[in-house]
Amino acid sequence: METALDAHRALTDDELRRLDAYWRAANYLTVGQIYLLDNPLLRTPLTPDDIKPRLLGHWGTSPGLNLVYAHLNRVIVARDLNAMLITGPGHGGPAIVANTWLEGTWEERYHDVSRDEVGMARLFRQFSFPGGIPSHVAAEVPGSIHEGGELGYALSHAYGAAFDHPDLTVACVIGDGEAETGPLAGSWLANVFLNPARDGAVLPILHLNGYKIASPTVLARIPEADLLDLLRGSGYQPYVVAGDEPAQVHQLLAATLDRALDEIAAIQRRARSGGVVERPRWPMIVLRTPKGWTGPREVDGAQVEGTYRAHQVPLSQVRDNPAHLAELEHWLRSYRPEELFDATGSPIDELRSLPPRGDRRMSANPVTNGGLVLRDLTLPDFGEYGVEVPEPGEPMAGATGVLGPWIRDVIAANPQTFRLFGPDEVASNRLNAAFEVTDRAWVARTVPGDDHLSPDGRVMEVLSEHLCQGWLEGYLLTGRHGVFTSYEAFIHIVDSMLNQHAKWLKVTRSIPWRQPLASLNYLLSSHVWRQDHNGFSHQDPGFIDHVVNKKAEVVRVYLPPDANTLLATMDHCLRSRHYINVVVAGKQAAPNWLTVTEAIQHTRRGLGIWEWASSDAGSEPDVVLACCGDVPTLETLAAAHLLRQQLPELKVRLVNVVDLMRLQPATEHPHGLTDNEFDTVFTADRPVVFAYHGYPWLIHRLTYRRTNHDNLHVRGYKEEGTTTTPFDMVMLNDLDRFHLVIDVIDRVPGLAARAAHLRQQMVDARQAARDYTRRYGEDDPQVAQWRWVRETDPTNR
């Protein structure tokens, strides 16, 4: 077992006494939050009326969290350390709340919860109580950027916070249950991407208390030699602190923290002295203490301390069972509160003097309220990067490839506040222009032939969507900006992480002292319609549906139809605050429809009538062709072309949607259209054939209250896919131009009989296109090379 040296001399007797008193105070306040409704200082014997009717919270992990918090405060004061704490077992919320109250930050944020007996009573009452605060380390808790309700993301958040914060030390407590999750297991290797010359440091603290809710934890039960080998293999130097005797553990933990911080400082000095930056072996701590330490040892004859029974509420029948009530009072008095709080209920001066001051308090560190330190990006004029569009549909260019040089220059202009994240897909998604000014972050070994790897890289690539998402969240939550680019189908891997971040954004909107963050921006490419080479496994547009479930005030979804509109959209997204922006755009060569000026106007409107593609000028249309997404736009325009050629008397209005949320009513989403506005564009009574990028039922869901919903017919992805050609892919899902023409014939009143011949031609054209692919292995050139030409445009553009 590896432990720190000279452990018994780490603390003087006075330091040990004061540190232990602070730990006891935090433990007392933690238990009080779980149990007490009144009588916070036990001035009279406890009665059932003093106890909350619903006992909620998690005691088991809390003593360990209080221990770590107290010891981190010691080293922050001793070293004038800039530090923050991420609490993986965030269900230990009352512990962190207790510490923020002790050091005064809670009172500063919530003035009625003062540091005295009245405030203590309010502190206890508010915890897990209607109208109060949640049980986890939620957004309401000062100093938190990580709720920890869903386990697995603590270490990735810690590394994200450390990037580009060279003087910041991020302590991260990892619960041994959390350590069993896939995202956490993938996060151990994040040190490969941490540059000690430029970034801050992460100090992982793996807390082994042995149990989850009902069963033992894996890392607590495997041989310790195996555990240490596992951690060494991930690039760490683990130090073990183990015990159940407080004085001994205090000394060991104090000595180990000092040693770890000395090693971190030495690593950073070497890296910052101008030498070669290499991957160091970072220190970490394995803390092995009993679950529910200092709580009841036994309850009703069953062992509690050190077992799974301590996980939540060890004494669960306090109101109804006099023995449990007596045991609770004995437990609370074991912390000797009369020694810790004065006659007013305020922490004694000795305790008040222990924590750091001002912004050095972990609960008051400005980076944990990232909006306080957030600065606007320097963004190049995206108009200078656009493609010239002399005619609609010309030239052919991949949207993300056009965006790449702009992203490159965003990186160059913001060398400390912007990063690009992706699971080994930055080049695949055609953003490789970024590598003209930067590299992939990499501190591990390199060999000849490696492509753009360096410790100073601003592109964060690792084949774990969880890690990319966690890094970006940690980066944003501490006041920076970024973009996450991914294949559309596999962004689903982070569905649950998006849930948690969306909830954080929603809650913090109503917390006055929380400042708005930079938005979380997803750029999804290699999308469903152009994954024809990878096939069915790579074809899924459902992330949009998942995002739309979140609160309207925090989610935005954009499907720009071409490169210039993508530029305008991304510029908007990087300027925005406190949203989750999802942008879906293709990487393959495709027609470009709008000039930069038109793209700006179209993006600002969110949707609009494309007059140059319509034939209803000055009159009501017979049919509305709507489209959303680059491939649906192409097919819709091709369908409009066919209709104009074959049925020139038919009045067609073509509407393109770039901001999906414009379809919702204004009462449901800030971007939504009023009913009058919607009817003006889509009409109140004419057929609407809508070609949509994703699952068609989402459009119905967004528009079901609209006047003309019964006349709305949506085509989209219906879970048909394989390895095939691009046009065969749209035909498999009935989104092709020929099928859209058939839909118009079938739905415009009176058109079916007189357009029967055209309908039959469209059926035959579909079959001919299918036959061509089966014979030649590629799309018919008449389809693949189709272009919009001015001859089909009766208006002057």
Side-chain angles (χ1 to χ4, degrees):
M1 180 174 72
E2 299 182 53
T3 58
L5 299 176
D6 301 322
H8 296 292
R9 290 181 287 160
L11 299 170
T12 67
D13 289 345
D14 185 59
E15 288 172 332
L16 174 60
R17 179 185 59 78
R18 296 171 67 204
L19 196 61
D20 187 70
Y22 197 91
W23 181 50
R24 287 189 285 117
N27 285 336
Y28 180 85
L29 294 168
T30 300
V31 180
Q33 288 176 78
I34 295 172
Y35 283 97
L36 296 186
L37 190 63
D38 203 356
N39 197 8
L41 286 172
L42 308 182
R43 296 196 186 278
T44 59
L46 283 180
T47 69
D49 290 341
D50 295 328
I51 308 302
K52 292 181 177 181
R54 300 170 68 244
L55 299 180
L56 304 170
H58 295 77
W59 164 247
T61 191
S62 293
L65 295 178
N66 286 328
L67 181 76
V68 169
Y69 205 107
H71 278 261
L72 287 173
N73 275 346
R74 180 189 74 85
V75 295
I76 290 169
V77 171
R79 297 166 181 259
D80 191 27
L81 202 64
N82 180 19
M84 59 177 288
L85 175 64
I86 289 179
T87 310
H91 49 270
I96 306 303
V97 171
N99 282 279
T100 63
W101 187 83
L102 278 173
E103 60 191 13
T105 316
W106 195 274
E107 181 182 16
E108 292 169 10
R109 300 289 182 267
Y110 306 100
H111 302 310
D112 60 327
V113 187
S114 49
R115 276 194 294 176
D116 54 25
E117 186 171 6
V118 172
M120 188 187 298
R122 289 173 177 160
L123 184 83
F124 290 176
R125 174 181 283 267
Q126 72 180 7
F127 177 76
S128 288
F129 202 78
I133 63 171
S135 63
H136 290 81
V137 188
E140 290 87 346
V141 180
S144 171
I145 68 165
H146 174 91
E147 177 159 333
E150 181 176 345
L151 301 177
Y153 314 128
L155 197 53
S156 63
H157 283 162
Y159 277 97
F163 293 143
D164 295 318
H165 271 147
D167 68 334
L168 181 66
T169 299
V170 186
C172 180
V173 179
I174 300 153
D176 47 357
E178 178 174 34
E180 297 175 5
T181 65
L184 196 286
S187 296
W188 288 117
L189 292 175
N191 57 42
V192 170
F193 306 88
L194 189 77
N195 181 351
R198 182 190 62 193
D199 300 327
V202 174
L203 178 62
I205 302 171
L206 176 60
H207 187 203
L208 300 180
N209 61 30
Y211 291 90
K212 304 185 284 287
I213 294 176
S215 58
T217 56
V218 173
L219 295 189
R221 291 294 181 91
I222 64 174
E224 190 165 276
D226 289 354
L227 172 63
L228 298 181
D229 284 346
L230 175 68
L231 297 171
R232 289 191 197 98
S234 296
Y236 298 95
Q237 176 59 55
Y239 295 107
V240 178
V241 175
D244 60 2
E245 198 285 310
Q248 179 190 32
V249 173
H250 281 308
Q251 292 285 8
L252 286 172
L253 182 55
T256 305
L257 266 176
D258 283 338
R259 179 169 181 172
L261 292 170
D262 286 345
E263 291 184 6
I264 287 171
I267 288 168
Q268 293 177 333
R269 277 196 304 271
R270 288 194 298 272
R272 297 171 187 182
S273 64
V276 177
V277 176
E278 296 178 334
R279 183 189 182 201
R281 186 170 292 279
W282 293 94
M284 66 164 294
I285 296 172
V286 177
L287 177 63
R288 194 186 293 269
T289 60
K291 196 173 185 79
W293 195 18
T294 73
R297 292 182 180 272
E298 290 186 0
V299 175
D300 297 335
Q303 183 181 348
V304 173
E305 185 185 55
T307 76
Y308 65 89
R309 297 183 184 91
H311 184 77
Q312 291 179 304
V313 180
L315 296 162
S316 58
Q317 302 172 25
V318 183
R319 274 197 161 196
D320 305 319
N321 186 325
H324 282 202
L325 182 64
E327 180 63 29
L328 173 61
E329 183 164 353
H330 173 74
W331 177 13
L332 284 164
R333 292 191 185 280
S334 73
Y335 297 118
R336 307 192 298 280
E338 66 280 1
E339 299 176 5
L340 307 173
F341 306 100
D342 64 20
T344 70
S346 177
I348 61 174
D349 290 342
E350 192 172 69
L351 296 187
R352 282 176 174 259
S353 66
L354 279 175
R357 303 294 185 189
D359 289 351
R360 280 293 189 251
R361 293 171 296 176
M362 291 185 290
S363 58
N365 193 319
V367 301
T368 65
N369 186 4
L372 288 174
V373 298
L374 181 66
R375 297 295 179 266
D376 292 344
L377 288 172
T378 299
L379 295 178
D381 179 359
F382 67 87
E384 297 179 1
Y385 300 78
V387 296
E388 293 291 334
V389 180
E391 299 289 342
E394 296 293 341
M396 297 286 287
T400 56
V402 173
L403 178 70
W406 185 75
I407 291 289
R408 172 199 64 202
D409 292 347
V410 172
I411 293 172
N414 302 275
Q416 296 178 318
T417 55
F418 178 87
R419 294 200 184 204
L420 179 61
F421 300 79
D424 195 31
E425 292 161 3
V426 169
S428 177
N429 283 336
R430 307 294 193 268
L431 300 176
N432 44 297
F435 298 123
E436 297 171 16
V437 296
T438 190
D439 300 305
R440 297 173 176 89
W442 187 260
V443 192
R445 182 173 62 95
T446 59
V447 299
D450 283 342
D451 182 44
H452 288 289
L453 300 180
S454 80
D456 292 320
R458 310 295 299 166
V459 175
M460 310 301 297
E461 283 200 326
V462 62
L463 200 53
S464 165
E465 286 83 357
H466 286 123
L467 195 46
C468 291
Q469 173 87 14
W471 283 343
L472 177 55
E473 288 179 359
Y475 201 62
L476 298 175
L477 287 159
T478 52
R480 281 74 62 76
H481 307 255
V483 171
F484 183 0
T485 183
S486 176
Y487 282 16
E488 182 184 39
F490 301 133
I491 198 63
H492 270 301
I493 293 170
V494 301
D495 277 1
S496 192
M497 296 185 76
L498 175 136
N499 288 348
Q500 299 301 315
H501 192 71
K503 292 175 188 297
W504 184 278
L505 294 179
K506 187 265 184 187
V507 170
T508 52
R509 278 182 171 270
S510 59
I511 299 176
W513 54 268
R514 286 279 186 186
Q515 297 301 306
L517 304 168
S519 297
L520 196 163
N521 300 303
Y522 293 98
L523 175 59
L524 307 183
S525 194
S526 300
H527 61 54
V528 59
W529 301 109
R530 291 308 309 269
Q531 274 293 338
D532 35 76
H533 59 300
N534 278 319
F536 198 34
S537 65
H538 286 53
Q539 295 163 348
D540 188 326
F543 187 69
I544 296 172
D545 301 63
H546 178 65
V547 170
V548 172
N549 288 333
K550 304 300 112 184
K551 292 294 289 187
E553 62 261 37
V554 299
V555 295
R556 307 287 185 266
V557 179
Y558 302 99
L559 293 102
D562 65 1
N564 288 336
T565 316
L566 175 61
L567 281 166
T569 299
M570 290 304 298
D571 180 83
H572 166 77
C573 290
L574 287 185
R575 295 180 189 276
S576 69
R577 294 289 182 270
H578 227 68
Y579 298 141
I580 293 173
N581 295 313
V582 178
V583 182
V584 184
K587 67 182 183 182
Q588 307 291 351
N592 285 276
W593 310 107
L594 303 179
T595 66
V596 168
T597 299
E598 291 166 339
I600 293 171
Q601 294 171 340
H602 188 48
T603 302
R604 287 173 177 168
R605 286 192 301 257
L607 60 75
I609 300 169
W610 283 3
E611 296 181 1
W612 53 267
S614 303
S615 57
D616 68 326
S619 62
E620 281 196 288
D622 297 312
V623 64
V624 175
L625 292 182
C627 48
C628 183
D630 52 4
V631 169
T633 298
L634 170 62
E635 293 304 308
T636 302
L637 284 163
H641 174 215
L642 285 167
L643 289 168
R644 186 172 295 184
Q645 284 185 321
Q646 302 298 324
L647 298 172
E649 74 284 3
L650 190 71
K651 290 180 289 186
V652 177
R653 175 178 296 174
L654 196 142
V655 177
N656 182 264
V657 178
V658 61
D659 180 351
L660 189 64
M661 312 319 292
R662 294 288 276 165
L663 298 178
Q664 282 195 288
T667 55
E668 298 297 320
H669 195 282
H671 287 195
L673 296 176
T674 66
D675 286 339
N676 182 63
E677 291 170 329
F678 189 90
D679 292 346
T680 299
V681 174
F682 291 97
T683 78
D685 57 0
R686 301 307 166 98
V688 180
V689 176
F690 199 128
Y692 170 56
H693 173 88
Y695 293 106
W697 34 89
L698 177 61
I699 302 301
H700 286 292
R701 175 181 155 197
L702 296 176
T703 60
Y704 78 98
R705 292 181 179 176
R706 299 300 191 179
T707 305
N708 200 28
H709 180 257
D710 288 347
N711 278 326
L712 178 65
H713 178 64
V714 187
R715 292 291 178 184
Y717 182 69
K718 54 183 186 181
E719 208 64 24
E720 293 291 343
T722 185
T723 303
T724 188
T725 65
F727 192 68
D728 194 49
M729 182 64 189
V730 292
M731 284 198 299
L732 285 172
N733 292 275
D734 295 335
L735 187 69
D736 60 279
R737 59 199 68 179
F738 305 129
H739 211 291
L740 295 176
V741 171
I742 291 171
D743 286 335
V744 170
I745 294 170
D746 289 347
R747 293 178 182 280
V748 173
L751 190 58
R754 61 190 175 93
H757 297 284
L758 177 59
R759 192 184 194 285
Q760 181 172 292
Q761 291 174 23
M762 295 298 99
V763 173
D764 292 345
R766 279 172 55 85
Q767 187 59 54
R770 176 69 49 78
D771 292 343
Y772 191 97
T773 63
R774 299 312 188 262
R775 182 174 182 181
Y776 296 105
E778 62 182 355
D779 285 326
D780 185 338
Q782 294 185 58
V783 171
Q785 297 175 16
W786 175 85
R787 299 290 183 272
W788 184 276
V789 291
R790 179 173 287 275
E791 283 73 19
T792 66
D793 183 0
T795 65
N796 289 322
R797 188 167 184 248

